[in-house]
């Protein structure tokens, strides 16, 4: 089968797939501008901690805008902004040390500056997978980064929210030192692994 036909089938599937738990015949979400549902969005990250464990933390203040084009997913666009002050490490002794505040605001770490990802191109790689290539800004520095995305499905009307929903899972890996965040490397790992789970809903809903 010609590559062009395979690509067209992949794009069609990526735009119209529904999850395994979606009732048959459920209409997919239409094209439009969507925003991340904060109640169903998580951004977790981990890195090696002295070779003994993978230390994990999360951001709870991620905002994202998706211009969703289900008929041509590769033409969609994405912008994500994370407030570093929304960092949650679950440090067990907050009365002794504001560990979250130190990592979020210290010049040795995130320097209190927004973390921003802006898509440049979207590459459809399978029936419900793709790579979102873009620019990631941390600490005021911008470098390329890629999200490996799985499209989990969509609904024209979610049974609970009563609005359209589009769902994704995503992962990314990068070296924090590329953004000048090299404090304690290599005792604390350079490589950061990010896991994202999110649902989008129409802007203004």
């Amino acid at each position: 089968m010609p590559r062009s036909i395979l690509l067209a089938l992949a794009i069609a599937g990526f735009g119209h797939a529904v999850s395994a738990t979606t009732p048959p015949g459920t209409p997919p979400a239409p094209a439009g501008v969507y925003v991340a549902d904060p109640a169903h969005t998580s951004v977790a990250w981990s890195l090696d901690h002295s070779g003994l464990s993978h230390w994990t933390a999360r951001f709870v203040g991620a905002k994202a805008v998706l211009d969703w084009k289900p008929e041509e997913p590769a033409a969609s666009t994405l912008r994500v902004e994370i407030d570093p002050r929304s960092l949650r490490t679950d440090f067990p002794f907050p009365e002794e040390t504001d560990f979250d505040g130190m990592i979020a605001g210290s010049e040795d770490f995130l320097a209190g500056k927004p973390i921003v990802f802006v898509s440049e191109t979207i590459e459809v790689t399978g029936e419900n997978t793709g790579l979102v290539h873009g620019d990631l800004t941390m600490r005021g520095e911008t470098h390329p980064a890629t999200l490996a995305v799985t499209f989990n499905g969509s609904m024209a009307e979610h049974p609970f929210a009563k609005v359209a929903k589009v769902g994704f899972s995503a992962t990314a890996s990068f070296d924090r030192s590329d953004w000048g965040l090299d404090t304690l490397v290599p005792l604390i790992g350079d490589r950061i692994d990010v896991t994202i789970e999110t649902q989008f809903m129409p802007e203004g809903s």
Side-chain angles (χ1 to χ4, degrees), residues 13-190:
F14 188 80
H16 296 287
V18 294
S19 72
T21 58
T22 301
T26 300
V33 177
Y34 288 73
V35 296
D37 177 358
H40 297 93
T41 297
S42 64
V43 179
W45 52 274
S46 66
L47 73 174
D48 178 84
H49 193 282
S50 62
L52 300 176
S53 65
H54 285 82
W55 187 76
T56 302
R58 68 193 190 283
F59 293 105
V60 298
K63 298 180 180 179
V65 179
L66 171 68
D67 187 357
W68 176 235
K69 301 182 186 299
E71 299 296 334
E72 189 180 358
S76 301
T77 60
L78 174 67
R79 187 182 191 278
V80 181
E81 182 169 341
I82 298 173
D83 182 351
R85 294 171 299 179
S86 73
L87 177 70
R88 301 291 182 268
T89 63
D90 297 322
F91 184 70
F93 310 110
E95 68 282 357
E96 298 178 7
T97 303
D98 181 9
F99 195 57
D100 293 4
M102 181 184 70
I103 294 179
S106 168
E107 290 298 324
D108 288 335
F109 295 100
L110 296 176
K113 297 179 180 179
I115 300 168
V116 179
F117 177 80
V118 180
S119 67
E120 290 292 332
T121 61
I122 295 178
E123 175 187 356
V124 175
T125 58
E127 183 177 352
N128 64 338
T129 58
L131 297 175
V132 180
H133 305 286
D135 290 326
L136 175 63
T137 300
M138 291 194 301
R139 297 167 47 84
E141 293 190 27
T142 303
H143 300 285
T146 298
L147 297 176
V149 177
T150 297
F151 173 59
N152 296 322
S154 72
M155 300 179 181
E157 182 177 337
H158 190 279
F160 303 145
K162 303 302 181 184
V163 296
K165 282 288 193 83
V166 185
F168 298 92
S169 302
T171 59
S173 295
F174 54 85
D175 292 336
R176 60 188 177 99
S177 59
D178 289 347
W179 283 262
L181 213 173
D182 56 2
T183 301
L184 298 177
V185 173
L187 180 62
I188 306 300
D190 191 11

